[in-house]
Amino acid sequence: MSINNIPSVDLADFISEDPKRKEKFVNEIGKAYEEIGFVSLRNHFLSDDLVDELYKEVKAFFDLPVEVKQKYEIEGLGGQRGYISFGKEHAKGKKEGDLKEFWHFGQEPDEDANLKEDYPANVQVEELKDFNPTGMEAYRMLEKTGIYVLRALAIYIGLEEHYFDHWASNGNSILRPIHYPPITEEPKGAVRAGAHGDINLITLLMGASTGGLQVLRKDGEWIDAKPAEDELVINVGDMLERHTNNKLRSTIHRVVNPPKEQWGEPRYSIPFFMHPRSDMRLDCLDECIDEHHPKQYEDITAGEFLHQRLVEIGLIKEDK
């Protein structure tokens, strides 16, 4: 029997006007992120209708003929927007490409965002008129949910509640619908997604309830992450781990291939990788440094850190 060791938290507690409930949420999510780096969260801002609509559009896109999908694979963007075909991405340190194809929706910033960088435009799918609008509506609701989670973490760390708001609003976040197709033969060393930590601040994941997601506990045991149908799985990424000087943990996780009798079923999951603006400094926070926890990392910006990691996982090729 698989045990769901990921604590479940209720965002309604944080948003309530009741200071005790708010404090309860802050402590629950903060402790979970110190211990295992993952929670499942209910009462987020995605309605059931929006979730259903998004899955419908995503499945319709991945069902398109290969040659249609390939015209949306844009060279020179380092996989930042549009379609990314099978085996292009691999876990850091692995050669085998993951058994998945995916799409990237990116930020469409506010007029007055005053960004230091230009984000690439989103790629528009001509064949499906609702694909882009639905994807961007889900993007906004996940971004809103993520900002509330970061507010709770700011309080937990001892920062002002809205510390992350500016950096995460109009940030370089990515919504990534993924299709893991049916497995037709014994995979040679490849799993649906190799063991990895996420690069960003936090990741909000839809679709983990279909199974396969596993999280590495502190004691070295892999545990199944099985949220309820209407819950998002939300985990700490490497940027937040670094910024908090390892107080909050970016936990290694993977998507394993299903038992053989389920090989014929495709799997869809939709992570939202919450990135800040690229000029956010990820220097270790003073609140997270003391004599027992000396500073562990060099100073760096989010943009520099992201570039470094995209090279390591194969999405950006550097001239040797």
Side-chain angles (χ1 to χ4, degrees), residues 256-273:
V256 294
N257 298 328
K260 208 159 189 171
E261 62 274 14
Q262 291 170 23
W263 278 13
E265 298 166 25
R267 180 178 186 273
Y268 298 89
S269 78
I270 308 179
F272 179 75
F273 299 112

Side-chain angles (χ1 to χ4, degrees), residues 198-203 235-242 250:
D198 292 339
I199 299 171
N200 38 289
L201 289 171
I202 55 174
T203 301
N235 63 282
V236 173
D238 294 351
M239 287 184 180
L240 191 58
E241 178 178 73
R242 188 181 183 118
S250 175

Side-chain angles (χ1 to χ4, degrees), residues 23-312:
E23 188 183 3
K24 172 176 174 275
F25 181 87
V26 168
N27 289 330
E28 283 175 350
I29 199 167
K31 285 192 176 70
Y33 283 167
E34 284 197 33
E35 281 302 308
I36 196 160
F38 272 77
V39 296
S40 54
L41 177 122
R42 57 192 179 280
N43 287 316
H44 46 76
F45 293 103
L46 286 164
S47 68
D48 291 347
D49 288 351
L50 179 55
V51 170
D52 292 347
E53 189 60 28
L54 183 62
Y55 274 111
K56 192 181 97 197
E57 293 299 324
V58 163
K59 287 173 180 170
F61 174 77
F62 289 121
D63 283 346
L64 290 170
V66 174
E67 58 275 14
V68 174
K69 289 185 286 195
Q70 279 174 339
K71 73 179 184 183
Y72 296 114
E73 189 155 27
I74 314 293
E75 287 299 313
L77 279 183
Q80 292 294 290
R81 298 289 183 274
Y83 177 65
I84 296 88
S85 53
F86 290 104
K88 282 281 166 72
E89 187 183 63
H90 53 80
K92 184 178 161 185
K94 275 193 77 139
K95 291 192 300 297
E96 295 85 11
D98 291 337
L99 304 176
K100 64 187 182 190
E101 58 179 341
F102 52 97
W103 179 272
H104 276 167
F105 293 103
Q107 183 67 266
E108 292 176 355
D110 300 333
E111 295 279 303
D112 56 356
N114 292 326
L115 287 163
K116 300 267 192 300
E117 66 194 305
D118 291 326
Y119 296 137
N122 275 309
V123 177
Q124 303 296 314
V125 175
E126 297 159 12
E127 289 76 8
L128 301 166
K129 67 176 175 40
D130 294 329
F131 178 77
N132 289 86
T134 305
M136 287 315 293
E137 192 182 341
Y139 185 107
R140 291 278 159 251
M141 293 300 105
L142 287 158
E143 183 176 60
K144 182 177 178 181
T145 303
I147 285 171
Y148 276 95
V149 168
L150 289 171
R151 285 177 184 170
L153 295 177
I155 295 169
Y156 186 76
I157 294 161
L159 301 166
E160 193 279 313
E161 180 175 339
H162 299 277
Y163 167 81
F164 289 103
D165 284 24
H166 166 77
W167 300 110
S169 311
N170 298 298
N172 192 16
S173 299
I174 292 282
L175 179 62
R176 173 191 279 192
I178 305 173
H179 171 224
Y180 302 100
I183 298 169
T184 51
E185 57 184 83
E186 193 72 53
K188 295 178 183 57
V191 292
R192 283 181 158 175
H196 65 285
D198 292 339
I199 299 171
N200 38 289
L201 289 171
I202 55 174
T203 301
L204 297 85
L205 176 66
M206 303 168 62
S209 54
T210 51
L213 178 65
Q214 294 188 331
V215 176
L216 189 61
R217 245 186 356 212
K218 269 184 178 169
D219 61 4
E221 286 292 307
W222 286 100
I223 59 165
D224 290 322
K226 278 284 195 137
E229 275 293 321
D230 58 348
E231 291 181 332
L232 295 174
V233 169
I234 306 183
N235 63 282
V236 173
D238 294 351
M239 287 184 180
L240 191 58
E241 178 178 73
R242 188 181 183 118
H243 198 34
T244 61
N245 198 36
N246 295 338
K247 181 180 175 71
L248 305 181
R249 299 185 57 233
S250 175
T251 303
I252 298 293
H253 51 285
R254 66 186 182 186
V255 181
V256 294
N257 298 328
K260 208 159 189 171
E261 62 274 14
Q262 291 170 23
W263 278 13
E265 298 166 25
R267 180 178 186 273
Y268 298 89
S269 78
I270 308 179
F272 179 75
F273 299 112
M274 193 155 200
H275 283 266
R277 296 163 178 247
S278 63
D279 54 331
M280 180 182 182
R281 301 214 59 83
L282 298 178
D283 311 353
C284 299
L285 289 158
D286 291 344
E287 287 78 2
C288 301
I289 300 171
D290 59 33
E291 57 181 310
H292 303 295
H293 304 92
K295 183 178 173 183
Q296 296 295 311
Y297 300 102
E298 295 294 304
D299 295 349
I300 198 169
T301 65
E304 290 160 349
F305 184 68
L306 175 62
H307 181 84
Q308 201 175 301
R309 290 295 298 277
L310 290 177
V311 171
E312 287 170 350

